[in-house]
Coordinates of all heavy atoms in Angstrom, one line a residue:
A10 N 16.0 33.3 -27.8 CA 15.9 33.8 -29.1 C 16.6 35.2 -29.3 O 16.5 36.0 -28.3 CB 14.4 34.0 -29.5
D11 N 17.3 35.4 -30.4 CA 17.9 36.6 -30.7 C 17.0 37.6 -31.5 O 17.4 38.8 -31.6 CB 19.2 36.4 -31.4 CG 20.3 35.8 -30.6 OD1 20.3 36.1 -29.4 OD2 21.1 35.0 -31.1
S12 N 15.9 37.1 -32.0 CA 15.0 37.9 -32.8 C 13.6 37.3 -32.7 O 13.4 36.1 -32.7 CB 15.5 37.9 -34.3 OG 15.7 36.6 -34.8
V13 N 12.6 38.2 -32.8 CA 11.2 37.8 -32.6 C 10.4 38.6 -33.6 O 10.5 39.8 -33.8 CB 10.7 38.2 -31.2 CG1 9.3 37.7 -31.0 CG2 11.6 37.6 -30.1
A14 N 9.5 37.8 -34.3 CA 8.4 38.4 -35.1 C 7.1 38.4 -34.3 O 6.7 37.3 -33.8 CB 8.3 37.6 -36.4
V15 N 6.5 39.5 -34.1 CA 5.3 39.6 -33.4 C 4.2 39.7 -34.4 O 3.9 40.7 -35.0 CB 5.2 40.9 -32.5 CG1 3.9 40.9 -31.7 CG2 6.4 40.8 -31.5
I16 N 3.5 38.5 -34.7 CA 2.5 38.4 -35.7 C 1.1 38.8 -35.1 O 0.7 38.2 -34.1 CB 2.4 37.0 -36.2 CG1 3.8 36.6 -36.8 CG2 1.3 36.9 -37.3 CD1 3.8 35.1 -37.3
G17 N 0.5 39.8 -35.6 CA -0.6 40.4 -35.0 C -0.3 41.7 -34.3 O -1.1 42.1 -33.4
A18 N 0.8 42.3 -34.6 CA 1.3 43.5 -33.9 C 0.2 44.6 -34.1 O -0.5 44.6 -35.2 CB 2.6 44.0 -34.5
S19 N 0.0 45.5 -33.1 CA -1.1 46.4 -33.2 C -0.6 47.8 -32.6 O 0.3 47.8 -31.7 CB -2.3 45.9 -32.5 OG -3.3 46.8 -32.4
R20 N -1.3 48.8 -32.9 CA -1.1 50.1 -32.3 C -2.2 50.4 -31.2 O -2.1 51.4 -30.5 CB -1.2 51.3 -33.3 CG -0.1 51.3 -34.3 CD -0.1 52.5 -35.2 NE -1.3 52.5 -36.0 CZ -1.8 53.5 -36.7 NH1 -1.2 54.7 -36.6 NH2 -2.9 53.4 -37.4
D21 N -3.1 49.4 -31.0 CA -4.1 49.5 -30.0 C -3.5 49.0 -28.6 O -3.1 47.8 -28.5 CB -5.3 48.6 -30.4 CG -6.4 48.7 -29.4 OD1 -6.2 49.1 -28.2 OD2 -7.6 48.3 -29.7
E22 N -3.4 49.8 -27.6 CA -2.7 49.5 -26.4 C -3.4 48.3 -25.6 O -2.8 47.7 -24.8 CB -2.7 50.7 -25.5 CG -1.8 51.8 -26.0 CD -1.8 53.0 -25.1 OE1 -2.2 52.9 -23.9 OE2 -1.3 54.1 -25.5
T23 N -4.7 48.0 -26.0 CA -5.4 46.9 -25.3 C -5.1 45.6 -25.9 O -5.5 44.5 -25.4 CB -6.9 47.2 -25.3 OG1 -7.4 47.1 -26.6 CG2 -7.2 48.5 -24.7
K24 N -4.4 45.6 -27.1 CA -4.2 44.3 -27.8 C -2.9 43.7 -27.4 O -1.9 44.4 -27.1 CB -4.2 44.6 -29.3 CG -5.4 45.2 -29.9 CD -6.6 44.2 -29.9 CE -7.8 44.7 -30.6 NZ -9.0 43.8 -30.5
R25 N -2.8 42.4 -27.4 CA -1.6 41.6 -27.1 C -0.5 42.0 -28.0 O 0.7 42.0 -27.6 CB -1.9 40.1 -27.1 CG -0.8 39.3 -26.5 CD -0.5 39.6 -25.0 NE 0.6 38.7 -24.5 CZ 0.4 37.5 -24.0 NH1 -0.8 37.0 -23.9 NH2 1.4 36.9 -23.5
G26 N -0.8 42.2 -29.3 CA 0.2 42.6 -30.3 C 0.9 43.9 -30.0 O 2.0 44.1 -30.4
Y27 N 0.2 44.8 -29.3 CA 0.9 46.0 -28.9 C 1.7 45.8 -27.6 O 2.8 46.2 -27.5 CB -0.2 47.1 -28.6 CG 0.4 48.4 -28.0 CD1 0.7 49.4 -28.9 CD2 0.6 48.5 -26.6 CE1 1.3 50.6 -28.3 CE2 1.1 49.7 -26.1 CZ 1.4 50.7 -27.0 OH 2.0 51.9 -26.4
Q28 N 1.1 45.1 -26.6 CA 1.8 44.9 -25.4 C 3.1 44.1 -25.5 O 4.0 44.3 -24.8 CB 0.8 44.1 -24.4 CG -0.4 44.9 -24.1 CD -1.5 44.0 -23.5 OE1 -1.4 42.8 -23.3 NE2 -2.7 44.6 -23.3
A29 N 3.1 43.1 -26.5 CA 4.3 42.3 -26.7 C 5.4 43.2 -27.2 O 6.6 43.1 -26.7 CB 4.0 41.2 -27.7
V30 N 5.2 44.1 -28.2 CA 6.2 44.9 -28.7 C 6.7 45.9 -27.6 O 7.9 46.1 -27.4 CB 5.7 45.7 -29.9 CG1 6.8 46.6 -30.4 CG2 5.4 44.7 -31.1
A31 N 5.7 46.5 -26.9 CA 6.1 47.5 -25.9 C 6.9 46.8 -24.7 O 7.9 47.4 -24.3 CB 4.8 48.1 -25.3
T32 N 6.5 45.6 -24.3 CA 7.2 45.0 -23.2 C 8.6 44.5 -23.7 O 9.6 44.6 -22.9 CB 6.5 43.7 -22.7 OG1 5.1 44.1 -22.4 CG2 7.1 43.1 -21.5
L33 N 8.8 44.1 -24.9 CA 10.1 43.7 -25.4 C 11.1 45.0 -25.3 O 12.2 44.9 -24.9 CB 10.0 43.2 -26.8 CG 9.6 41.7 -27.0 CD1 9.2 41.4 -28.4 CD2 10.6 40.8 -26.4
K34 N 10.5 46.1 -25.7 CA 11.4 47.3 -25.7 C 11.6 47.7 -24.3 O 12.8 48.1 -23.9 CB 10.7 48.4 -26.5 CG 10.5 48.1 -28.0 CD 9.8 49.3 -28.7 CE 10.7 50.5 -28.8 NZ 10.2 51.5 -29.7
K35 N 10.6 47.7 -23.4 CA 10.8 48.1 -22.0 C 11.7 47.2 -21.3 O 12.5 47.6 -20.4 CB 9.4 48.2 -21.3 CG 9.5 48.7 -19.9 CD 8.1 48.8 -19.3 CE 8.1 49.3 -17.9 NZ 6.8 49.4 -17.3
S36 N 11.7 45.9 -21.6 CA 12.5 44.9 -20.9 C 14.0 44.9 -21.3 O 14.8 44.1 -20.8 CB 11.9 43.5 -21.1 OG 10.6 43.4 -20.6
G37 N 14.3 45.7 -22.3 CA 15.7 45.8 -22.7 C 16.1 44.7 -23.6 O 17.3 44.4 -23.7
F38 N 15.2 44.1 -24.4 CA 15.6 43.1 -25.3 C 16.4 43.7 -26.4 O 16.0 44.6 -27.1 CB 14.3 42.4 -25.9 CG 14.6 41.3 -26.9 CD1 15.2 40.1 -26.5 CD2 14.2 41.5 -28.2 CE1 15.4 39.1 -27.4 CE2 14.4 40.4 -29.1 CZ 15.1 39.3 -28.7
E39 N 17.6 43.2 -26.6 CA 18.5 43.8 -27.6 C 18.5 43.1 -28.9 O 19.2 43.5 -29.8 CB 19.9 43.7 -27.0 CG 20.1 44.5 -25.7 CD 21.5 44.5 -25.2 OE1 22.4 43.7 -25.8 OE2 21.8 45.2 -24.2
G40 N 17.7 42.1 -29.1 CA 17.6 41.4 -30.4 C 16.6 42.1 -31.3 O 16.1 43.2 -31.0
G41 N 16.5 41.5 -32.5 CA 15.6 42.1 -33.5 C 14.1 41.9 -33.1 O 13.7 40.8 -32.7
I42 N 13.3 43.0 -33.2 CA 11.9 43.0 -33.0 C 11.2 43.3 -34.3 O 11.4 44.4 -34.8 CB 11.5 44.0 -31.9 CG1 12.2 43.7 -30.6 CG2 10.0 43.8 -31.6 CD1 12.0 44.8 -29.5
Y43 N 10.4 42.4 -34.8 CA 9.8 42.6 -36.1 C 8.2 42.5 -36.1 O 7.7 41.4 -36.1 CB 10.3 41.6 -37.1 CG 11.8 41.6 -37.2 CD1 12.6 40.6 -36.6 CD2 12.5 42.6 -37.9 CE1 13.9 40.6 -36.7 CE2 13.9 42.6 -38.0 CZ 14.6 41.6 -37.4 OH 16.0 41.6 -37.5
P44 N 7.5 43.6 -35.9 CA 6.1 43.6 -35.9 C 5.6 43.1 -37.3 O 6.1 43.5 -38.4 CB 5.7 45.1 -35.7 CG 6.9 45.7 -35.1 CD 8.1 45.0 -35.7
V45 N 4.5 42.3 -37.3 CA 3.9 41.8 -38.5 C 2.4 42.0 -38.5 O 1.7 41.6 -37.6 CB 4.2 40.3 -38.7 CG1 3.5 39.7 -39.9 CG2 5.7 40.0 -38.7
N46 N 1.9 42.8 -39.5 CA 0.5 43.1 -39.6 C 0.3 43.8 -41.0 O 0.8 44.9 -41.2 CB 0.0 44.0 -38.5 CG -1.5 44.1 -38.5 OD1 -2.2 44.0 -39.6 ND2 -2.1 44.4 -37.4
P47 N -0.4 43.2 -41.9 CA -0.5 43.8 -43.3 C -1.3 45.1 -43.3 O -1.2 45.9 -44.2 CB -1.2 42.7 -44.1 CG -2.0 41.9 -43.0 CD -1.1 41.9 -41.8

Side-chain angles (χ1 to χ4, degrees):
D11 289 327
S12 51
V13 182
V15 180
I16 301 176
S19 173
R20 291 186 297 164
D21 184 341
E22 295 181 11
T23 66
K24 300 291 187 181
R25 189 64 179 270
Y27 175 93
Q28 296 162 5
V30 176
T32 306
L33 283 168
K34 296 182 72 174
K35 184 178 180 180
S36 299
F38 180 66
E39 296 182 355
I42 305 172
Y43 304 105
V45 176
N46 188 334

